Amino acid sequence: MQKQRAAALGIVFFFLLSFFAFPAAAEDVKVTLLEVQGNKRIETATILAKIKTREGEVFSPSLIKDDIKALYQMGHFEDVQVRTEGFENGLKVIFVVKEKPLIREITFEGNEELTTEKLKEGLTLLPRTALNLQLINENAEKIRLKYQDAGFYDVVVVPVINELPGGDRSVVFYIEEGAKVKIADIIFTGNKAISSKELKEPLKTQEHWFFSFLGRSGALRTDELRDDLETIKNLYYNKGYIQVQVGEPVIAPKQYTFRECYFWGPEKTFVRKSELVIRINIKEGEQFRVGDVTFKGNQIISTEDLEKETKLKKGDIFSRDVLRQDVNKIIDHYDSLARPFANVVPLFNIDQDKKTVAVTIDIQEGGEVRIGRIDISGNSKTRDKVIRREMRLVEGDLYSKKALKRSYERLNNLNFFETVEIVPERRQQESIMDLDVKVKEKLTGTLSVGGGYSSVDKLVGMAEITQGNLFGRGELLKLKLQWGQAGTTNLYMLSFMEPYLFDKPIWGRVDLYNQTQQYDGYDLRTNGFALSAGKNFNEYVSTSLRYSLDNSFVTNITSTAPFTLQQQLDSYGDSITTSALTWSLTRDTRDFYLDPKTGSKNSIFVEYAGGPLGGDPNFIKSVGDSAWYFPLFWDTVFMARGRYGVVNSLIEKPVPLAERFYVGGPSTVRGFRFGADGPIDSQSNVLGGTKEMIYNFEYSFPIVPAARLKGVLFYDIGKAFDTNETVTFSALRQSFGWGFWWLSPIGPLKFEWGYIVKQRPQDQASQFDFSIGAMF
């Protein structure tokens, strides 16, 4: 009875306490003061910025719960408590925190084979960060894997945390390296349908060989060996052996006889601990074929259409990979109909006697899904509208996986962000898909000063100030300066581009330029301006119109100048004013324009100068250009590009030298000096052509992927032709070579060495090209 009375009094006391402590139960009470206590290193302003409870707003216990969770997620606190007190007709809310101790020192003990510097590479545990036990254990595992990669299979890594005076901590990783071992043999037993060589090829675990020092082959990782067992099973599943059994691997030291160790004597065994043998036993079972293939639950898509999309047919050898591809095709088909939540599940009926697998593909089609909220985060500088206008989906649209992928490509091509992530999140019990767009901004303003060597301009100096995202509006402002040795090339250019004029999908650009280019026997100085505007017709096709007005002056004429210069001087004098209008049409499906791996770019432009536009020359110039990119194995890419151009004067005057085609050198036919793969005079002066045909073939491969450093092998064919020459394939000249590309912060840098096929007396043995600019 006393216990019941005590319980009743306790309940009454609890309600009274709740009433006085939280008057909001009776009426809304506001937070009149926020305090933070217990923090020493973390600023109070930083803590208050993380919580949602605000002074002047109604006190909310659920919001307090979220605030405590948010403070824990900062990773700096090991305890967070909240107290409340009455204060000025409201509540004072006090967040009491206890900070985690700092890690002052990280050391290693017992490491002899791997240096401390090597062990620190890639670790995410750093001094002067808060103590985090999970992070310490993760870094201990990283150290263990580094040793296994180096061949120390039995390594043991134990982290020990020591308390220092003042309450901070030191972390010591104690390492027992063990003996260095390598995998001598991987032996399979019981395999008949698939050879041992075929089984070994896709495995992550590989035998040691002569060039193992270039990679990790010969090292043993237990996690990778477990994955390899699944790889072996999949090989058999794809050949119809659906009941295959792959035994646990047996790892043992390799045994040698005395004879093999160059000892004479009776037959005995000698254990050599530095080499391991892995034995894997396989029970293949019987091979199964496909029985009936039926579909269930499909209404929107007919069975006939589904049968056309699937490769798995009755009587075929059963393959799990083929079935998986068929399921993905069906899912993609429903995805294209705005049904991303369609559920496609293959069901099996195994006939042991007939050795067949009947497959029923059960489909739950789901309903149409529309886009809900599009939340953008991470853009501290770039305005939301700059990101939203690149999205191919807006709120209320039907979901489209294709449009989602294109949205990612467009955001990535802005080159404003280090990373772009678009995460679809389905609302519970609703046919709504929210999109969480997460970006990590990078510096878009650059100041670069440098120099180098160019085959055209010899020693080259350059300076560039660029802001690619001016005021966060996506506008481009660039000032570029470039000068070559002894005045071979001087360029001053100021450009401004607005990608969305008047918030419409029309871009506009203004260029002011002054350039001096040294040719054989003379210099050409040009200054002028250009106004451009362009518009996209659809996702990949765009057009542009450009008007340019410039004036060119011929200076520094020498006795070795080509005869074509005299023809120009006789027709135009030493100064030419060119007024031109250029129209272009482009279809660009490349995934990333700075370093494409797939897609193509096809363009044509037509330039008309003179006539009603005014100016001295009157000509028409057109160029067609097509480049295709094909992704291959190991993240390598093959590129094929072709160009054809022609320029014709519409009056009885020659085409100005600056408008002719100069083939040879970077971006044309490498291995030749500038313009040398075309008409030249008896003194080897380049004359330029009125027609050009160029083909480039390139194979690029990663060297240091993290640094975006790539190698390239190339083969070029092409030539420039004069007016009286006929364009023929047999006249095209060839070159080949190799080089490096680096996608640097200031743009792509290219270093290439070219060699001419079937050299002529006027040709050099080889040509080195260095350039800064966009890749093909």
Side-chain angles (χ1 to χ4, degrees):
M1 187 69 180
Q2 290 179 348
K3 291 182 178 180
Q4 293 176 345
R5 186 176 300 154
L9 290 173
I11 294 172
V12 172
F13 177 76
F14 173 77
F15 276 107
L16 289 173
L17 181 64
S18 301
F19 179 79
F20 289 108
F22 301 101
E27 58 180 333
D28 291 341
V29 174
K30 292 186 176 181
V31 177
T32 51
L33 184 64
L34 278 175
E35 281 190 4
V36 179
Q37 298 179 0
N39 56 313
K40 298 177 182 179
R41 298 187 309 272
I42 310 304
E43 296 288 341
T44 298
T46 302
I47 296 173
L48 293 177
K50 286 291 182 181
I51 64 177
K52 296 181 180 178
T53 300
R54 295 285 184 268
E55 292 181 4
E57 296 183 358
V58 175
F59 177 82
S60 169
S62 62
L63 204 58
I64 292 291
K65 182 179 178 182
D66 293 340
D67 290 341
I68 293 174
K69 183 178 179 181
L71 292 181
Y72 271 119
Q73 288 176 344
M74 290 178 68
H76 296 294
F77 308 114
E78 62 181 23
D79 187 39
V80 178
Q81 296 183 14
V82 176
R83 297 202 304 262
T84 59
E85 298 175 2
F87 182 79
E88 295 183 356
N89 298 322
L91 282 180
K92 177 167 70 172
V93 180
I94 306 168
F95 286 85
V96 184
V97 298
K98 182 179 179 182
E99 294 177 338
K100 290 181 178 180
L102 283 181
I103 297 174
R104 289 291 179 184
E105 188 179 22
I106 302 170
T107 57
F108 305 87
E109 295 287 344
N111 58 306
E112 296 180 359
E113 298 293 337
L114 297 184
T115 65
T116 298
E117 290 72 21
K118 180 68 175 178
L119 294 178
K120 286 182 178 180
E121 289 178 6
L123 295 188
T124 54
L125 188 70
L126 301 173
R128 300 194 60 81
T129 57
L131 182 70
N132 186 322
L133 295 178
Q134 181 181 349
L135 192 61
I136 291 173
N137 290 327
E138 289 176 356
N139 281 266
E141 177 64 12
K142 288 183 178 181
I143 295 170
R144 189 183 70 84
L145 293 178
K146 282 186 180 182
Y147 268 99
Q148 286 197 349
D149 290 346
F152 294 89
Y153 169 63
D154 294 322
V155 65
V156 177
V157 182
V158 179
V160 176
I161 303 170
N162 299 315
E163 186 171 353
L164 301 174
D168 288 336
R169 304 290 193 270
S170 70
V171 179
V172 183
F173 290 101
Y174 286 96
I175 302 168
E176 185 178 331
E177 295 178 328
K180 186 172 184 178
V181 297
K182 58 186 179 184
I183 300 171
D185 294 305
I186 300 175
I187 300 173
F188 297 97
T189 57
N191 57 308
K192 297 179 181 178
I194 304 179
S195 67
S196 295
K197 182 180 179 181
E198 190 177 352
L199 289 173
K200 289 178 184 179
E201 187 174 347
L203 302 185
K204 296 178 182 177
T205 305
Q206 294 288 329
E207 297 167 342
H208 186 274
W209 68 304
F210 182 77
F211 287 105
S212 288
F213 67 91
L214 296 176
R216 290 199 301 104
S217 62
L220 176 59
R221 272 192 177 188
T222 53
D223 55 340
E224 291 185 349
L225 188 56
R226 285 193 296 270
D227 294 341
D228 288 339
L229 298 181
E230 292 301 315
T231 300
I232 294 169
K233 290 179 183 178
N234 286 331
L235 289 174
Y236 275 96
Y237 291 155
N238 294 332
K239 291 183 178 293
Y241 294 90
I242 62 174
Q243 296 176 333
V244 65
Q245 297 179 33
V246 180
E248 286 295 317
V250 178
I251 304 170
K254 185 171 183 177
Q255 294 184 341
Y256 291 88
T257 64
F258 274 7
R259 185 181 300 276
E260 289 170 323
C261 290
Y262 309 106
F263 286 96
W264 296 101
E267 194 73 6
K268 294 181 180 180
T269 60
F270 173 75
V271 177
R272 185 173 174 178
K273 294 183 178 179
S274 63
E275 292 188 333
L276 297 176
V277 176
I278 301 174
R279 287 182 169 84
I280 301 175
N281 185 51
I282 299 172
K283 295 181 179 179
E284 295 179 331
E286 299 289 336
Q287 188 180 54
F288 282 71
R289 292 184 175 271
V290 179
D292 293 327
V293 180
T294 57
F295 300 89
K296 174 185 175 183
N298 56 302
Q299 296 179 356
I300 299 173
I301 305 176
S302 67
T303 298
E304 290 76 14
D305 289 340
L306 292 175
E307 288 176 344
K308 292 177 183 178
E309 291 190 357
T310 54
K311 293 182 180 179
L312 207 62
K313 306 298 181 184
K314 184 176 181 179
D316 292 349
I317 293 174
F318 180 83
S319 170
R320 190 161 74 172
D321 268 359
V322 175
L323 178 60
R324 185 183 294 114
Q325 293 170 14
D326 288 344
V327 169
N328 289 336
K329 283 183 179 180
I330 296 171
I331 292 174
D332 287 343
H333 195 151
Y334 277 102
D335 189 276
S336 67
L337 300 176
R339 285 170 165 78
F341 303 134
N343 192 24
V344 181
V345 179
L347 306 174
F348 307 103
N349 186 9
I350 300 174
D351 191 325
Q352 291 283 359
D353 296 331
K354 296 181 180 180
K355 298 296 182 292
T356 60
V357 182
V359 181
T360 300
I361 299 179
D362 188 11
I363 302 172
Q364 297 178 5
E365 297 180 322
E368 285 186 339
V369 175
R370 292 190 176 272
I371 300 298
R373 296 189 312 273
I374 299 179
D375 298 320
I376 301 172
S377 61
N379 55 317
S380 57
K381 175 185 176 181
T382 307
R383 302 187 182 190
D384 274 13
K385 73 174 186 178
V386 172
I387 296 175
R388 289 184 181 276
R389 68 195 184 193
E390 301 301 325
M391 295 291 294
R392 301 299 94 181
L393 291 167
V394 298
E395 287 88 345
D397 281 356
L398 286 173
Y399 173 86
S400 168
K401 186 177 180 180
K402 181 179 180 181
L404 196 66
K405 179 184 177 183
R406 183 57 181 164
S407 299
Y408 168 82
E409 291 176 352
R410 290 182 66 91
L411 287 175
N412 197 40
N413 277 327
L414 287 175
N415 206 28
F416 297 164
F417 312 111
E418 287 185 15
T419 58
V420 176
E421 187 178 6
I422 305 177
V423 182
E425 295 180 354
R426 182 183 183 180
R427 292 187 191 175
Q428 293 184 353
Q429 310 301 323
E430 293 185 70
S431 295
I432 299 292
M433 182 83 81
D434 295 326
L435 299 180
D436 189 4
V437 182
K438 302 177 183 179
V439 298
K440 182 179 179 182
E441 290 190 310
K442 66 179 181 181
L443 294 177
T444 54
T446 61
L447 169 61
S448 57
V449 179
Y453 179 83
S454 168
S455 59
V456 178
D457 304 313
K458 306 305 178 186
L459 291 177
V460 178
M462 61 199 68
E464 185 173 302
I465 302 173
T466 303
Q467 177 51 259
N469 189 12
L470 190 64
F471 306 122
R473 296 197 293 247
E475 298 167 340
L476 170 71
L477 180 64
K478 175 164 50 174
L479 173 62
K480 183 176 181 180
L481 311 175
Q482 183 174 324
W483 58 95
Q485 182 181 16
T488 51
T489 293
N490 291 320
L491 172 65
Y492 309 93
M493 176 178 286
L494 179 65
S495 302
F496 175 79
M497 179 178 176
E498 168 56 64
Y500 274 73
L501 281 172
F502 315 111
D503 284 332
K504 302 293 183 182
I506 300 174
W507 59 263
R509 178 170 179 141
V510 179
D511 295 300
L512 303 175
Y513 51 88
N514 184 297
Q515 180 177 11
T516 300
Q517 176 70 52
Q518 186 181 80
Y519 292 90
D520 291 338
Y522 67 97
D523 292 348
L524 187 66
R525 181 160 56 90
T526 305
N527 57 71
F529 73 92
L531 302 175
S532 308
K535 176 179 173 54
N536 290 338
F537 287 125
N538 57 34
E539 194 56 44
Y540 301 106
V541 179
S542 63
T543 189
S544 67
L545 197 62
R546 178 179 188 266
Y547 174 74
S548 61
L549 178 64
D550 59 48
N551 189 256
S552 298
F553 301 87
V554 178
T555 61
N556 298 329
I557 303 173
T558 69
S559 59
T560 61
F563 70 89
T564 50
L565 175 62
Q566 189 59 49
Q567 291 177 345
Q568 177 172 306
L569 294 174
D570 293 341
S571 301
Y572 300 104
D574 59 2
S575 174
I576 299 178
T577 299
T578 304
S579 176
L581 195 63
T582 304
W583 170 80
S584 67
L585 180 67
T586 302
R587 184 178 187 272
D588 191 348
T589 63
R590 295 174 298 173
D591 55 344
F592 183 41
Y593 75 99
L594 286 177
D595 185 17
K597 292 181 173 59
T598 184
S600 65
K601 182 181 180 182
N602 302 277
S603 62
I604 183 173
F605 81 80
V606 179
E607 179 182 7
Y608 177 78
L613 298 176
D616 297 320
N618 184 199
F619 64 85
I620 186 167
K621 182 179 184 179
S622 58
V623 176
D625 193 339
S626 180
W628 296 77
Y629 300 84
F630 305 93
L632 303 176
F633 49 86
W634 299 334
D635 201 28
T636 61
V637 179
F638 177 74
M639 187 278 294
R641 182 188 186 192
R643 278 167 288 173
Y644 182 80
V646 60
V647 57
N648 287 314
S649 178
L650 301 178
I651 55 178
E652 294 298 325
K653 293 183 179 182
V655 175
L657 296 180
E659 302 298 336
R660 296 169 74 89
F661 298 109
Y662 296 89
V663 177
S667 301
T668 57
V669 179
R670 290 154 288 190
F672 292 85
R673 66 184 180 92
F674 173 74
D677 187 12
I680 58 176
D681 62 15
S682 58
Q683 296 178 312
S684 297
N685 292 323
V686 298
L687 305 179
T690 58
K691 291 165 283 189
E692 70 171 359
M693 179 182 286
I694 304 171
Y695 297 95
N696 305 106
F697 304 93
E698 295 177 350
Y699 175 71
S700 60
F701 50 91
I703 297 176
V704 184
R708 292 189 169 182
L709 178 64
K710 304 175 68 173
V712 62
L713 303 175
F714 62 82
Y715 176 66
D716 296 340
I717 312 173
K719 191 178 184 299
F721 299 84
D722 211 345
T723 305
N724 56 358
E725 292 183 283
T726 302
V727 178
T728 61
F729 282 99
S730 60
L732 302 182
R733 302 199 63 189
Q734 307 170 46
S735 68
F736 67 94
W738 57 283
F740 302 98
W741 288 347
W742 177 35
L743 193 56
S744 74
I746 63 172
L749 303 184
K750 298 195 291 185
F751 307 84
E752 296 170 328
W753 288 261
Y755 304 87
I756 300 172
V757 178
K758 297 182 180 179
Q759 294 182 20
R760 297 174 182 174
Q762 68 270 23
D763 297 329
Q764 70 285 359
S766 64
Q767 181 78 22
F768 167 68
D769 293 319
F770 163 80
S771 60
I772 297 179
M775 300 178 183
F776 286 156

